[in-house]
Amino acid sequence: GPFSRITFGDTSAVRPVWSPDGREVFYVSDRAGSGVGTPYAHRADGTGIARPLTSSKLDFGQITPSRDGRWLVLRTSGSTAGGGDILGLKAGDTTLVPLVATAATEFYPALSPDGRWLAYASTESGTMEVYVRPFPETATAKWQVSTAGGSEPVWANSGRELFYVNGKSELVSADIRPGAAFSVGEQHALF
């Protein structure tokens, strides 16, 4: 069918993602052209008006909803020192919960399909690397997945692979072993 515009106005709308039920599109309203701003939801059919996803004064750069619709994972602006923190927002709540908030910069939050694991990239080692933590109890454990640079983690729909871009700009597949604990198996560059 024809294209349908969802957002209008004098600001850009960036980093769109579907809501878990597919009825809405979540996006960041980029007020200043810096790639960060207020997260909004708008009906996918273009009707109605956009609604803010949080009342926080923070600027956000990424939105990741959990598949069950119970959580929104948001990444704050990484343009300031210590920025780029990953925060969570439970459905029906207004309090942002720090998930990964360190002196390093965190980017690219990605929830596993079963909602058990949060993958993200961080500069905590001095180089951007991919890490995984249990979700939502992120303070209980942490595993480093990449070892030669890593960013932009994305889970396979099966949850059995985690893809990321390594320091050589290669797309890498990391096998995720099934079980109660998180475990990474073989990793290989795809291209």
Side-chain angles (χ1 to χ4, degrees):
F3 290 113
S4 297
R5 188 170 177 174
I6 294 174
T7 62
F8 296 88
D10 58 354
T11 61
S12 297
V14 297
R15 296 186 191 86
V17 295
W18 290 102
S19 66
D21 63 8
R23 293 182 180 164
E24 293 183 301
V25 175
F26 300 157
Y27 62 91
V28 173
S29 177
D30 182 7
R31 296 182 300 267
S34 59
V36 297
T38 304
Y40 280 92
H42 199 287
R43 288 182 50 93
D45 64 7
T47 62
I49 59 170
R51 64 179 174 83
L53 293 170
T54 178
S55 60
S56 173
K57 301 293 184 206
L58 294 171
D59 281 336
F60 296 94
Q62 290 169 290
I63 308 164
T64 303
S66 63
R67 284 194 177 181
D68 62 10
R70 294 178 54 213
W71 284 89
L72 280 179
V73 176
L74 303 148
R75 192 250 316 149
T76 63
S77 171
S79 62
T80 59
D85 292 331
I86 299 173
L87 309 176
L89 183 63
K90 279 181 138 179
D93 202 347
T94 58
T95 303
L96 290 166
V97 177
L99 297 173
V100 185
T102 71
T105 301
E106 290 85 28
F107 285 105
Y108 312 109
L111 289 172
S112 62
D114 62 7
R116 294 178 56 208
W117 312 110
L118 172 65
Y120 62 97
S122 173
T123 60
E124 72 178 67
S125 72
T127 301
M128 185 79 72
E129 299 286 359
V130 173
Y131 298 86
V132 170
R133 291 179 183 243
F135 182 79
E137 300 85 14
T138 54
T140 60
K142 176 178 66 175
W143 299 272
Q144 185 171 336
V145 176
S146 64
T147 57
S151 65
E152 303 177 59
V154 176
W155 293 93
N157 284 333
S158 67
R160 301 284 308 272
E161 285 179 285
L162 181 62
F163 303 102
Y164 65 90
V165 177
N166 69 11
K168 297 177 184 177
S169 296
E170 298 169 322
L171 182 64
V172 175
S173 169
D175 293 331
I176 306 302
R177 296 181 180 131
F182 182 80
S183 179
V184 178
E186 291 185 29
Q187 299 188 41
H188 54 279
L190 300 176
F191 56 88

